[in-house]
């Protein structure tokens, strides 16, 4: 391979191709079943040509920001999106989701496992989760559509911050359990819902800063956030439980006080407090609930990014 690299630098492309073909012939001769099939090679070539998360992130963030400003104006005047606005935003949503599903499917087919083994793949999956949740929740509330686009775009953008498209490699043995896919899927759904609650909180606080007349609108946003909070907390709890079962299968113990485990539990406990408005009357006030939603999301950021990139531990593989 060093010789091939040298030939490429010397612009001796024909000679480089001839050597590569010799390597390929040798691999086919001795590689046996370990060598990927032709369909896997073709799928990886297509994936490498199609997987460009940054342009998709830019599109989603632009559409989400424009949609957010439109929705804010509609929300203030207690109106809905026009048919044309709904059509444009939903077209972007569906096309982005189809693209993400296509690239994730290709990556999963090439790797031979569900693509949830590192930070890039989990952020891509969270982006897709945000879009599909937005599609089903958008009719319930006008702000959900632009918020979902923004969350998806931010997830796509975050996936490009580290190693923007890490190499497809075999899984570590401990990650080969099907419980991994279920654990990460449920957790990503929870994070997507919590991100939407965070954006709802920001919207309500912006409205409150602009004018005290928007208290009723803030109440409507609080209702929408509370509706999303219940499945979010349930998914977070279920994800922690599945992760504990997976840990017992892999390491022989359910709980090891790893930084990721501790911060996931902290996040669960923080958001669980908002489910008890009778015991904690402050949560009955919409403005307090929105401030809580904005501040509480910091625990999610620490759980995912702070632990992966700063604290380390057994879950540090997810940062790759």
């Amino acid at each position: 391979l060093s010789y091939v690299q040298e030939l490429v630098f010397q612009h001796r492309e024909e000679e480089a191709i001839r050597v590569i073909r010799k390597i390929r012939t040798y691999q086919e001769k001795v590689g046996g079943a370990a060598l990927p099939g032709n369909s896997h090679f073709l799928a990886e070539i297509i994936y490498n040509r199609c997987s460009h998360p940054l342009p998709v992130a830019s599109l989603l963030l632009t559409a989400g920001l424009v949609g957010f400003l439109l929705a804010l104006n509609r929300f203030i005047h207690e109106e809905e999106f026009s048919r044309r606005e709904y059509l444009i935003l939903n077209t972007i949503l569906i096309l982005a989701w189809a693209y993400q599903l296509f690239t994730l499917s290709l990556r999963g087919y090439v790797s031979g496992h569900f693509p949830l083994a590192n930070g890039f793949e989990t952020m891509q999956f969270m982006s897709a989760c945000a879009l599909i949740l937005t599609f089903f929740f958008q009719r319930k509330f006008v702000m959900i559509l632009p918020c979902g686009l923004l969350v998806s775009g931010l997830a796509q953008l975050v996936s490009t911050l580290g190693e923007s498209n890490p190499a497809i490699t075999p899984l570590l043995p401990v990650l080969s359990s099907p419980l991994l896919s279920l654990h990460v899927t449920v957790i990503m759904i929870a994070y997507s819902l919590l991100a939407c609650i965070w954006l709802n909180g920001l919207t309500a606080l912006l409205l409150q800063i602009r004018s005290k007349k928007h208290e009723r609108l803030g109440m409507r946003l609080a209702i929408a956030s509370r509706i999303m909070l219940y499945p979010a907390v349930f998914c977070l709890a279920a994800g922690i439980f599945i992760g504990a079962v997976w840990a017992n299968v892999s390491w022989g113990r359910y709980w090891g006080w790893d930084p990721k485990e501790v911060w996931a539990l902290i996040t669960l406990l923080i958001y669980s407090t908002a489910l008890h408005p009778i015991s904690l009357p402050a949560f009955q006030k919409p403005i307090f609930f929105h401030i809580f939603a904005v501040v509480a999301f910091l625990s999610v950021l620490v759980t995912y990014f702070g632990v992966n990139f700063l604290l380390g531990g057994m879950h540090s593989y997810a940062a790759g």
Side-chain angles (χ1 to χ4, degrees), residues 183 191 236 239-240 243-248 251 253-269 302-303 307-308 311-315:
H183 165 67
Y191 287 172
L236 188 57
I240 292 173
V245 175
W246 172 39
N248 185 56
W251 294 292
R253 91 286 182 276
Y254 290 98
W255 193 266
W257 297 106
D258 183 72
K260 190 82 163 185
E261 296 171 350
V262 173
W263 272 100
L265 180 61
I266 291 171
T267 302
L268 176 65
L269 293 176
V302 173
T303 302
V307 171
N308 286 349
L311 300 180
M314 289 184 296
H315 290 79

Side-chain angles (χ1 to χ4, degrees), residues 171-177:
L171 276 178
L172 295 171
V174 73
L175 302 180
S176 60
S177 170

Side-chain angles (χ1 to χ4, degrees), residues 198 201-202 204-205 285-297:
W198 169 67
L202 283 178
L205 293 178
K285 301 176 182 178
I287 188 65
F288 179 84
F289 181 86
H290 291 308
I291 294 173
F292 167 83
V294 173
V295 176
F297 194 69

Side-chain angles (χ1 to χ4, degrees), residues 22-319:
K22 283 187 176 182
I23 294 174
R24 171 71 173 172
T25 301
Y26 175 78
Q27 288 176 331
E28 290 175 343
K29 182 179 179 180
V30 302
L35 191 69
N38 290 328
S39 61
H40 286 82
F41 277 112
L42 178 61
E44 188 162 3
I45 290 171
I46 296 172
Y47 172 78
N48 289 332
R49 291 176 177 174
C50 294
S51 183
H52 302 290
L54 190 55
V56 178
S58 302
L59 173 64
L60 287 170
L61 288 172
T62 301
L65 184 59
V66 172
F68 181 79
L69 295 175
L70 284 172
L72 199 59
N73 182 61
R74 294 281 190 272
F75 192 68
I76 291 172
H77 296 93
E78 299 188 26
E79 299 174 353
E80 296 291 331
F81 279 126
S82 68
R83 186 186 181 102
R84 182 179 179 182
E85 291 166 348
Y86 258 123
L87 181 62
I88 293 173
L89 292 176
N90 272 282
T91 300
I92 294 172
L93 184 150
I94 293 170
L95 289 176
W97 181 79
Y99 165 81
Q100 292 173 30
L101 181 64
F102 176 68
T103 54
L104 282 171
S105 299
L106 282 177
R107 191 175 179 94
Y109 177 69
V110 173
S111 63
H113 59 80
F114 205 73
L116 288 172
N118 54 51
F120 173 81
E121 292 174 352
T122 54
M123 281 291 97
Q124 290 285 308
F125 185 77
M126 180 177 173
S127 178
C129 285
L131 291 179
I132 196 67
L133 290 171
T134 299
F135 182 79
F136 287 110
F137 278 106
Q138 63 176 306
R139 288 293 180 184
K140 299 294 182 181
F141 201 64
V142 67
M143 296 299 299
I144 297 299
L145 181 53
C147 286
L149 292 173
L150 282 172
V151 170
S152 180
L154 287 171
Q156 285 279 330
L157 183 63
V158 169
S159 73
T160 68
L161 295 181
E163 190 176 0
S164 61
N165 199 352
I168 300 174
T169 57
L171 276 178
L172 295 171
V174 73
L175 302 180
S176 60
S177 170
L179 290 172
L180 166 68
S181 301
L182 185 58
H183 165 67
V184 177
T185 298
V186 175
I187 291 290
M188 287 298 105
I189 291 173
Y191 287 172
S192 299
L193 290 169
L194 294 177
C196 287
I197 293 171
W198 169 67
L199 282 172
N200 265 0
L202 283 178
T203 303
L205 293 178
L206 289 174
L207 288 172
Q208 189 72 14
I209 291 172
R210 178 181 174 181
S211 174
K212 299 292 185 180
K213 299 178 181 179
H214 299 312
E215 290 184 6
R216 196 168 71 87
L217 301 179
M219 188 176 296
R220 289 178 59 196
L221 283 167
I223 292 172
S225 293
R226 286 193 176 100
I227 290 172
M228 290 187 286
L229 182 63
Y230 284 95
V233 172
F234 172 80
C235 287
L236 188 57
I240 292 173
F241 177 81
I242 296 168
V245 175
W246 172 39
N248 185 56
V249 172
S250 301
W251 294 292
R253 91 286 182 276
Y254 290 98
W255 193 266
W257 297 106
D258 183 72
K260 190 82 163 185
E261 296 171 350
V262 173
W263 272 100
L265 180 61
I266 291 171
T267 302
L268 176 65
L269 293 176
I270 288 174
Y271 278 99
S272 296
T273 59
L275 300 180
H276 303 280
I278 296 177
S279 302
L280 302 170
F283 284 103
Q284 297 178 14
K285 301 176 182 178
I287 188 65
F288 179 84
F289 181 86
H290 291 308
I291 294 173
F292 167 83
V294 173
V295 176
F297 194 69
L298 292 174
S299 66
V300 176
L301 298 179
V302 173
T303 302
Y304 191 84
F305 299 106
V307 171
N308 286 349
F309 296 103
L310 298 177
L311 300 180
M314 289 184 296
H315 290 79
S316 59
Y317 67 85

